[in-house]
Amino acid sequence: MAPPLSADLYVEVQTFYARQMRALDSGKLEDFAQSFTEDGVMRHVSRDDHVQGREAILAMLRAGLPAYDGFIPRHWFDKFLIETVDADTVRTDYYAMVTMTDAKGTVVLQPTCVVEDELVRVDGTLLLKSRVIRRDDLLLR
Amino acid sequence: MAPPLSADLYVEVQTFYARQMRALDSGKLEDFAQSFTEDGVMRHVSRDDHVQGREAILAMLRAGLPAYDGFIPRHWFDKFLIETVDADTVRTDYYAMVTMTDAKGTVVLQPTCVVEDELVRVDGTLLLKSRVIRRDDLLLR
Amino acid sequence: MAPPLSADLYVEVQTFYARQMRALDSGKLEDFAQSFTEDGVMRHVSRDDHVQGREAILAMLRAGLPAYDGFIPRHWFDKFLIETVDADTVRTDYYAMVTMTDAKGTVVLQPTCVVEDELVRVDGTLLLKSRVIRRDDLLLR
């Protein structure tokens, strides 16, 4: 049986995302890639892609950078379901929304998503082993 | 005197809402209704309605379904005040916002709300005894 | 070395912001000003202002009130980094977004921000000693 969710783990998971998303939103893509395990996987169900390994994740993010030109993105998460699988594995499931603010102060909302992550503890630190992103707009098509 | 708010209860309450809102946002209305006590009450102050009991809540939600046609709604909560009333009763007060994403990826924000809930523990599980929703736009009229 | 972040402190900090922002969003500006230490500082990096002391903070907020006329603002925070400096000092760093709902139900998003706070414990209660606000749109100019 999986160990129950402790409040300490809840806070640790929130802090993991606070750091990881700050790296992404401020364009520190290497730091973001380092938050994955070496064999970490990122998958957008909508695009049917499946990118594995830090280098491949970094390359995918760099290819996507022009879309953010002139904007500062911010990722907002909510409605966390956090489940411990074993002492070193945590599954999370949460809502995600991205705002894009431009220099004039206009804010555009990207389509909402639901994300499923598997985190593993490596040398005491949580790393992302797998992320699956489902965009709501594409579920409707 | 009410027991102090423990971090464990904070996490339990967040998880309650993560499950309850996932049911609502994915159209599993029976599951949503089951998150209320049998005599649970849902009240939109703005509409001056007052719906009591799981069946009545379910009927109200079903009547409202057409408004979500073509959209995936997501509920976002924040600014939680959580107060234990006694060992089996918790009052919460929080901000709520609903995004509506359509198939083209357009996201519309519904008017912000403040919600007051009373949760009770029944056989170890939190259930919603009462929900009062105040929509900000209607407060301004 | 700084004490580790406890789940209890995480919850206490969330509750501090839930109370403080409710005061601001509902126009109880005196209550908001009282959440600062007597020598508390509020600084918008973007405007290059620097306001010190409860009275000065209150005066600044009152001067800004007309911008909210006809709207109910709500502050949404996320991505908390919380760090204890010593037994009585906590530093926080978080994303902030403000929605403005009008009587017709239209919701406008203000430019996203990143906020850095220093909180101190005075007679057992957390108070805000310093707030620095960075608006994303102004970082792009």
Side-chain angles (χ1 to χ4, degrees):
Chain A
M1 208 182 123
L5 172 61
S6 72
D8 283 342
L9 181 61
Y10 181 91
V11 170
E12 187 182 6
V13 166
Q14 298 298 331
T15 304
F16 172 84
Y17 289 118
R19 288 211 189 96
Q20 193 197 36
M21 288 302 119
R22 224 163 279 244
L24 185 60
D25 292 339
S26 59
K28 292 174 182 165
L29 302 184
E30 290 84 356
D31 290 351
F32 179 79
Q34 290 295 322
S35 70
F36 282 78
T37 58
E38 290 199 28
D39 62 347
V41 170
M42 192 158 168
R43 187 172 162 230
H44 287 83
V45 172
S46 37
R47 295 191 218 142
D48 202 23
D49 62 4
H50 175 103
V51 177
Q52 182 157 24
R54 289 175 179 161
E55 283 308 309
I57 288 167
L58 190 53
M60 180 192 64
L61 291 171
R62 283 193 176 133
L65 266 187
Y68 294 93
D69 208 37
F71 296 94
I72 292 186
R74 297 286 170 202
H75 284 74
W76 308 83
F77 292 173
D78 196 14
K79 299 287 171 295
F80 275 89
L81 293 173
I82 302 175
E83 193 183 36
T84 53
V85 178
D86 58 42
D88 291 323
T89 312
V90 182
R91 285 212 193 101
T92 65
D93 189 302
Y94 53 91
Y95 288 7
M97 172 163 70
V98 182
T99 52
M100 306 271 280
T101 296
D102 71 12
K104 287 180 184 169
T106 307
V107 182
V108 175
L109 279 171
Q110 298 297 304
T112 51
C113 299
V114 179
V115 184
E116 277 178 68
D117 284 350
E118 186 171 313
L119 298 151
V120 292
R121 192 176 299 283
V122 179
D123 298 334
T125 302
L126 289 179
L127 292 176
L128 189 51
K129 189 177 172 62
S130 158
R131 170 162 294 169
V132 178
I133 303 171
R134 288 182 174 79
R135 258 175 54 189
D136 285 335
D137 56 329
L138 300 170
L139 291 181
L140 286 164
R141 289 184 195 171
Chain B
M1 207 182 124
L5 172 59
S6 72
D8 284 341
L9 182 62
Y10 180 90
V11 170
E12 186 182 8
V13 165
Q14 298 296 332
T15 304
F16 172 85
Y17 289 119
R19 289 211 189 95
Q20 193 197 36
M21 288 300 120
R22 224 164 279 242
L24 185 60
D25 291 339
S26 59
K28 292 174 183 165
L29 302 185
E30 291 83 357
D31 290 352
F32 179 79
Q34 290 296 321
S35 71
F36 282 78
T37 59
E38 290 199 28
D39 62 346
V41 170
M42 192 157 167
R43 186 171 164 230
H44 286 83
V45 171
S46 37
R47 295 190 218 141
D48 201 22
D49 62 4
H50 175 104
V51 177
Q52 182 157 25
R54 289 174 180 163
E55 284 308 309
I57 289 167
L58 189 53
M60 181 192 64
L61 291 170
R62 283 193 176 132
L65 267 187
Y68 294 92
D69 208 36
F71 295 94
I72 293 185
R74 297 285 170 203
H75 283 74
W76 308 82
F77 293 173
D78 197 14
K79 300 286 169 296
F80 274 89
L81 294 173
I82 301 175
E83 192 183 36
T84 54
V85 178
D86 58 44
D88 291 322
T89 312
V90 182
R91 284 210 194 104
T92 65
D93 189 302
Y94 54 90
Y95 288 8
M97 171 163 69
V98 183
T99 53
M100 306 271 281
T101 297
D102 71 12
K104 288 180 183 168
T106 308
V107 183
V108 175
L109 280 171
Q110 297 298 304
T112 52
C113 299
V114 179
V115 184
E116 277 177 69
D117 284 350
E118 186 170 313
L119 298 151
V120 292
R121 193 176 296 282
V122 179
D123 298 333
T125 302
L126 289 179
L127 292 176
L128 188 51
K129 192 179 169 60
S130 158
R131 169 163 295 169
V132 178
I133 303 170
R134 288 183 174 80
R135 258 176 55 189
D136 285 336
D137 56 329
L138 300 170
L139 292 181
L140 286 164
R141 289 183 195 171
Chain C
M1 209 181 123
L5 172 59
S6 72
D8 284 342
L9 181 62
Y10 181 91
V11 170
E12 186 182 7
V13 165
Q14 297 297 332
T15 304
F16 172 84
Y17 289 119
R19 288 211 188 95
Q20 194 198 35
M21 288 302 120
R22 225 163 279 243
L24 185 59
D25 291 339
S26 60
K28 291 174 183 165
L29 302 183
E30 291 83 357
D31 290 352
F32 179 80
Q34 289 296 322
S35 70
F36 282 78
T37 58
E38 289 199 30
D39 62 347
V41 170
M42 192 158 168
R43 186 171 163 230
H44 286 83
V45 171
S46 36
R47 295 191 219 141
D48 202 23
D49 62 4
H50 175 104
V51 177
Q52 182 156 23
R54 289 174 179 162
E55 284 308 308
I57 288 167
L58 190 53
M60 181 193 63
L61 291 170
R62 284 193 176 133
L65 266 187
Y68 294 93
D69 207 36
F71 296 95
I72 293 186
R74 297 284 170 203
H75 284 74
W76 308 82
F77 293 173
D78 197 13
K79 299 286 171 295
F80 274 89
L81 294 172
I82 302 175
E83 193 183 36
T84 53
V85 178
D86 59 42
D88 292 322
T89 312
V90 182
R91 284 210 193 104
T92 65
D93 189 300
Y94 53 91
Y95 289 8
M97 172 164 67
V98 182
T99 52
M100 306 270 281
T101 297
D102 71 11
K104 287 180 184 169
T106 308
V107 182
V108 175
L109 280 170
Q110 298 297 304
T112 51
C113 299
V114 179
V115 184
E116 277 178 68
D117 283 350
E118 186 171 313
L119 298 151
V120 292
R121 194 176 297 282
V122 179
D123 299 333
T125 302
L126 289 179
L127 292 176
L128 188 50
K129 190 177 170 62
S130 158
R131 169 163 294 169
V132 178
I133 302 170
R134 289 183 173 79
R135 258 175 55 188
D136 285 335
D137 56 329
L138 300 169
L139 291 181
L140 286 164
R141 288 184 197 172

